[in-house]
Amino acid sequence: MEKKYLLMHILDVHTAAPFKDLFTIKPSVLADITDSMKKKGYDEAFPLILWAGHGGVLVDGHTRLQAAKDAGVLDVAVVMHDFADELEALEYAIACQSHRRNLTNGEMLACLAALDERKKVGRPEKTTSNEVISGRTSKKTAELLGTSPTKVEKLRTINSHATPEIRESLTKGDISVNRAYNETMRHRRAGENHIREVAPEDAKKERLKALEESIIKMVSIRIEREIREYPEIRYGEQERRELIARCVSGITAAMENLPLEAAENTTR
């Protein structure tokens, strides 16, 4: 069935994270599409895909959008698509790209990070071993990315534990996934050995500091994403205070899972 498209002014097409940050726009591909648009105009056979229920944000077609801007094309063909949630829209965007071409390692890492972040929300309780659940998730994700489950698991380890330098080198294509994974594991083992070698009290201080920094970092990333995706929304001081209070309550409840020392356990 032929797609029903609309013509939309290029300035009315809205881009936002995570979709605009997943894939790199290759200069050679952009140049070819731009040249074609200058000669023939926008080809309606390749419309931009917008999320109808999310403010019309662009899900697929960022290279075509940039080419239209560079070619001076004012009206572009768009198709409004309904998605159940951001995860479904994200999977659609990734599937579109992986079906057209082979994703780079850096793109796979970005896609995996975005997918895993959204899959944490509403994740059901585990009813079997972590290994089995991980394997099933990796297989489905590998099919989406067009790669192997083993590579997905290595990318997950890199995303969760690699240093910024390792992730940057992988994204730039300076090192392979195997090398990035091996270096990440080497750093992790070195850190574990360091913890075993230092005095227990010093190790505890280091872990508490690491927990504090990681929690603050996660909150900062989430706030930055909120600002990027909803720049038009403003919050009152009372709303901010209430949000802070709820977050503190939630974090306090989560902290109850930290293991207590034996002496403290006996006095509770």
Side-chain angles (χ1 to χ4, degrees):
M1 182 181 295
E2 185 179 354
K3 291 182 179 179
K4 295 182 179 180
Y5 64 85
L6 306 170
L7 287 179
M8 180 178 288
H9 194 282
I10 197 170
L11 296 180
D12 294 330
V13 179
H14 174 56
T15 63
F19 311 103
K20 68 182 182 65
D21 300 324
L22 292 176
F23 308 105
T24 56
I25 295 180
K26 297 183 178 180
S28 58
V29 176
L30 177 62
D32 289 342
I33 298 176
T34 301
D35 185 59
S36 176
M37 287 189 187
K38 287 179 178 179
K39 297 175 181 177
K40 304 175 184 178
Y42 194 96
D43 187 350
E44 291 86 359
F46 301 98
L48 306 179
I49 306 299
L50 307 185
W51 185 355
H54 200 63
V57 67
L58 180 62
V59 173
D60 179 64
H62 292 80
T63 299
R64 298 193 295 280
L65 176 63
Q66 186 59 52
K69 292 178 179 179
D70 294 346
V73 174
L74 297 181
D75 295 314
V76 293
V78 305
V79 169
M80 306 301 291
H81 202 302
D82 289 319
F83 298 100
D85 51 32
E86 193 172 68
L87 177 59
E88 183 179 301
L90 190 62
E91 290 178 339
Y92 178 90
I94 295 171
C96 286
Q97 290 293 324
S98 63
H99 290 162
R100 294 182 191 128
R101 61 187 178 85
N102 293 326
L103 303 183
T104 67
N105 291 330
E107 289 171 337
M108 286 188 189
L109 185 64
C111 290
L112 186 62
L115 286 169
D116 285 353
E117 178 184 348
R118 283 148 187 84
K119 285 179 180 176
K120 290 176 184 176
V121 180
R123 178 176 291 172
E125 285 194 26
K126 298 175 182 177
T127 57
T128 183
S129 69
N130 290 341
E131 183 178 356
V132 173
I133 288 180
S134 175
R136 288 175 182 167
T137 303
S138 297
K139 183 177 179 180
K140 180 181 177 181
T141 305
E143 292 173 353
L144 182 63
L145 297 177
T147 188
S148 68
T150 300
K151 188 171 183 178
V152 167
E153 285 302 311
K154 289 183 177 181
L155 286 169
R156 276 206 172 100
T157 298
I158 294 166
N159 180 58
S160 299
H161 303 289
T163 63
E165 292 77 16
I166 292 176
R167 284 197 294 270
E168 183 179 2
S169 295
L170 179 65
T171 299
K172 289 182 177 179
D174 295 337
I175 60 176
S176 66
V177 170
N178 283 337
R179 180 176 171 185
Y181 173 79
N182 290 335
E183 290 189 9
T184 298
M185 294 304 296
R186 180 170 58 81
H187 280 286
R188 290 189 69 188
R189 284 190 288 268
E192 292 170 358
N193 291 335
H194 172 69
I195 290 175
R196 296 189 187 99
E197 292 169 359
V198 299
E201 287 302 315
D202 291 337
K204 186 190 300 183
K205 290 179 182 178
E206 289 187 9
R207 295 314 309 149
L208 287 172
K209 183 63 176 177
L211 278 170
E212 175 188 343
E213 291 176 350
S214 63
I215 291 170
I216 293 173
K217 181 179 179 180
M218 285 189 290
V219 173
S220 298
I221 291 173
R222 185 61 186 84
I223 294 300
E224 289 172 1
R225 176 183 155 204
E226 186 74 12
I227 294 171
R228 287 198 310 269
E229 296 185 8
Y230 303 98
E232 72 281 2
I233 298 180
R234 296 291 184 271
Y235 299 96
E237 188 60 36
Q238 181 63 26
E239 291 171 318
R240 292 208 305 178
R241 284 199 295 267
E242 290 174 354
L243 177 60
I244 291 171
R246 290 195 298 270
C247 289
V248 169
S249 176
I251 292 173
T252 300
M255 288 299 179
E256 292 295 324
N257 293 318
L258 277 177
L260 293 174
E261 293 178 336
E264 292 186 48
N265 274 322
T266 57
T267 59
R268 289 191 67 175

